[in-house]
Amino acid sequence: MATDIHRTIDTVWRMEQPKLIASVTRIVRDVGLAEELAQDALVTALQQWPKSGVPDKPAAWLMTTAKNRAIDHIRRNKLLQRKHEEIGRDLEIDQKLNVPDLDEALDDDVGDDLLRLVFTSCHPVLSMEARVAMTLRMLGGLTTEEIARAFLVTEPTVAQRIVRAKRTLADAKVPFEVPRGAEREARVSSVLQVVYLIFNEGYSATAGEDWIRPQLCQDAIRLGRVLAGLAPDEAEVHGLVALMEIQASRFGARTDAKGEPVLLMDQNRARWDQLLIRRGLAALEKAESLAAPRGSYTMQAAIAACHARARTAAQTDWVAIAALYQELAERAPSPIVDLNRAVALSMAYGPAEGLALADTLVGEPSMKAYHLLPSVRADFLQKLGRLDEAHAEYERAASLTKNARERDLLLARAAACHDPDTEQQTNG
């Protein structure tokens, strides 16, 4: 019985933690303190529910308890109490002091609070590592241990990042609000960047033994859907959701029974998740209806949709994909976009076209340690029959990647350049 109650508490906490922290932050104006007060409510539940039973509305119970803790904290603070009394006598002082009205704080919309928490967690005053850790902790509900395991760092490292992030936000007096105008636009970009970084780490792990980490992708998609519900008129939010859902639809086909990688052109598309594809296409349609010209996430989703609509690899419209990458390169130029465009050009017009573009990236400083550049060049060279060069590029790529599964795949492809039997085994 006690085990079942603790399991219930854990489930409710994971679901409601972001809302609790967001609502309490609006009252106390401090994300770190809000997390502590929300956890106080959790501790109270762990103490009381095994004795009294689970309340009829456990989420509401936790919310009320957490808010009561926040109000008690404010009342215990003599300075804030004095300011609160002054507010009651003078509305003008209220505006100057910016002390929250407690009755209003109890009744405000939780959805607005969550949106504020999203923007606070991804404030540009924080490093990208801190933004990711804060987002996963505050909004994803992950523990420090889970975040550390996901990104292959130690627990103390993650804990330190979160502590420093809270201190930085407090020291910088970052307001708990949704910014407006140009600041909001810049912050939306930061939020989406964080969510997509989390997704990409799950979709293609940069290091470790696992090729993919589906749980991280699920966390990112859930965050994206929450954000889409909170900001329904932001086109790029829907574009990112579309991109993540369409890409995630391939998970069932991205590895074989042994966990080894299966590349896109070799995947069994019958194993792609059609529900996720339909959801992704709907989100793409929504994004395209909200903005013209399309943003970068929406364009990447349109590219992913070309793959999703092709029943077989041979039916893929590579000419359309190459054109989309050209458009993306014009609007959001980057060496990574050009490398992807090189692959599309190779598939649409032949490996020589792809190699010509890829060769222009060899001297790019940001690509010096990027393993996919020699990997892609190796593929083009292999198709052109330049096997010695391809072998060397595959080995260079293998030396640069930190992912064990990917390294094995690249070394197998290097061997395939000089051994037809290996090539048949690798590609089959």
Side-chain angles (χ1 to χ4, degrees), residues 121-144:
S121 298
C122 296
H123 195 282
V125 74
L126 301 176
S127 69
M128 180 56 70
E129 292 82 4
R131 292 180 214 174
V132 169
M134 283 280 286
T135 301
L136 286 174
R137 177 67 171 270
M138 301 297 181
L139 294 158
L142 273 67
T143 64
T144 302

Side-chain angles (χ1 to χ4, degrees), residues 189-259:
S189 176
S190 173
V191 171
L192 298 183
Q193 185 182 12
V194 167
V195 173
Y196 196 37
L197 188 153
I198 294 169
F199 178 86
N200 274 337
E201 184 58 31
Y203 190 76
S204 184
T206 55
E209 299 294 326
D210 297 320
W211 170 246
I212 57 177
R213 296 194 185 102
Q215 186 57 53
L216 266 184
C217 289
Q218 291 170 16
D219 290 330
I221 291 174
R222 181 162 57 84
L223 290 172
R225 288 172 180 165
V226 168
L227 191 56
L230 297 173
D233 296 326
E234 295 283 354
E236 278 290 77
V237 174
H238 296 284
L240 178 57
V241 170
L243 174 59
M244 293 190 296
E245 289 189 329
I246 294 173
Q247 287 187 316
S249 71
R250 306 172 192 162
F251 264 124
R254 291 196 75 229
T255 55
D256 62 18
K258 297 179 180 178

Side-chain angles (χ1 to χ4, degrees), residues 27 232 276 287 409-410 421:
I27 299 173
L276 276 176
L409 174 65
L410 290 166
D421 292 334

